[in-house]
Amino acid sequence: MFSWALFFLVVALIAAVLGFGGIAGTAVSIAKLIFVVALALFVISALVHLVRGRA
């Protein structure tokens, strides 16, 4: 999932360099959203692994 966030970040950078501000802004927003979701899923997964390891 982090690779998707990186992909959208690269798309945003390329769009910004080429002057497509709207597309760049949208791509950055999507990249941020995917990054936050991936980070949340990682934390949840780590917590579940910790709880299952103790039980």
Side-chain angles (χ1 to χ4, degrees), residues 16-38:
V17 167
L18 295 176
F20 299 106
I23 296 172
T26 303
V28 166
S29 297
I30 293 171
K32 284 181 185 178
L33 177 68
I34 292 174
F35 180 76
V36 169
V37 169

Side-chain angles (χ1 to χ4, degrees), residues 4-5 8 19 26 29 34 39 45 52 54:
W4 280 101
F8 278 106
T26 303
S29 297
I34 292 174
L39 196 59
S45 175
R52 283 193 176 179
R54 291 186 178 186

